[in-house]
Amino acid sequence: MIVTVTLNTALDITYRVPALVPHASHRVEEVVERPGGKGVNVARVLAALGHEAVVTGFAGGPSGEVLRARLAGLAPRDELVPVQGDTRRTIAVVDAASGDTTQLNEPGPLVSPAEWEAFLAVYGRLLADADAVALCGSLPPGLPVGAYAQLVRLARTAQVPVLLDTSGEPLRRGIAARPDLVKPNLDELAQLTGSREPLRAARDARRRGARTVVASLGADGLLAASSEGLWQAAPPAAVRGNPTGAGDSAVAGLLSGLVEGLDWPQRLTRAVALSAATVLAPAAGEFDREAYEKMLGSVRVSEHAH
């Protein structure tokens, strides 16, 4: 069982318009509504890959009710903790002419100390049966900035491999708790380390506590730095579409590969193929399976010298 934690879940709404023009009125051609938040997307992809996945975190208010109703029809198990506040919505506006996406993210509900304690009880129960855990996304208002660091330490005490995918100060605090894997993008890695050179920044992040760093390089794929070696994996060509959730699919690829005992080149190949296939899908948490299977044979993996 793989547990994904989304402390700031979201109801994801995707609008598709012919062309996005500032200061203009738009006719929406298509609306897609999905349960969202990074860990929810990860769990949906894991379930599609055949893994038992459990979603936990917080959900509340009318948006939270819709999110849980949408999640009920999907494979991941719902272990979300109720809160008084209203689950946020995220709006993605896809420009059909350019293929670009504009994202609008609400902040999320205010979480009380009692609600945080209720979550910790659920998290501890799930860790007892977990093969791996992913801690994903932003922190909602009310939680301590060291919340992820606390969850990393609890997973390590339970001897459960833990992946951290967040940014800013929560990443800085969390990485000091020594997670098994962190997956920042280049901007997040630069903010953490002060360097925009991917290899140097990844090595610096390892010195700060992460056992392995897998950095998202956008169209250039993924860079992995671990005690076992250094690798870069890239898709055969740039893919145009909706990038929302592509990084979450990469996390699902890395976690599923870990649980299945794949080596790093195989894990990275799966992660890059899933990420690219997600760009081609209509919404986050989904991937184009035919494109994914084709991509598996064409992802380029190269090993760097230490």
Side-chain angles (χ1 to χ4, degrees), residues 62-120:
S63 295
E65 290 178 10
V66 175
L67 184 153
R68 298 188 83 161
R70 296 281 187 182
L71 193 58
L74 303 172
R77 191 168 93 229
D78 177 354
E79 290 276 2
L80 293 167
V81 175
V83 290
Q84 288 296 312
D86 196 7
T87 293
R88 67 191 177 123
R89 295 162 298 172
T90 65
I91 311 297
V93 183
V94 180
D95 183 326
S98 68
D100 293 333
T101 300
T102 299
Q103 190 84 14
L104 304 172
N105 297 329
E106 295 178 357
L110 179 68
V111 177
S112 71
E115 289 164 343
W116 175 237
E117 289 299 321
F119 167 78
L120 289 175

Side-chain angles (χ1 to χ4, degrees), residues 209-273:
R211 293 187 172 185
T212 299
V213 176
V214 177
S216 296
L217 308 179
D220 293 327
L222 298 172
L223 173 70
S226 79
S227 60
E228 300 168 54
L230 300 166
W231 295 272
Q232 185 169 342
V239 179
R240 294 189 67 83
N242 181 4
T244 307
D248 305 330
S249 291
V251 168
L254 294 169
L255 275 180
S256 61
L258 167 68
V259 169
E260 293 172 31
L262 302 183
D263 62 24
W264 272 108
Q266 291 173 307
R267 293 186 211 179
L268 293 170
T269 295
R270 178 180 292 183
V272 167

Side-chain angles (χ1 to χ4, degrees), residues 8-47:
N8 209 5
T9 56
L11 183 62
D12 283 345
I13 301 167
T14 302
Y15 294 142
R16 184 174 293 274
V17 298
L20 184 60
V21 182
H23 316 299
S25 177
H26 296 77
R27 185 176 298 278
V28 177
E29 294 182 332
E30 180 186 21
V31 181
V32 179
E33 191 176 71
R34 294 286 189 273
K38 293 178 73 64
V40 175
N41 296 337
V42 172
R44 291 179 61 197
V45 174
L46 284 168

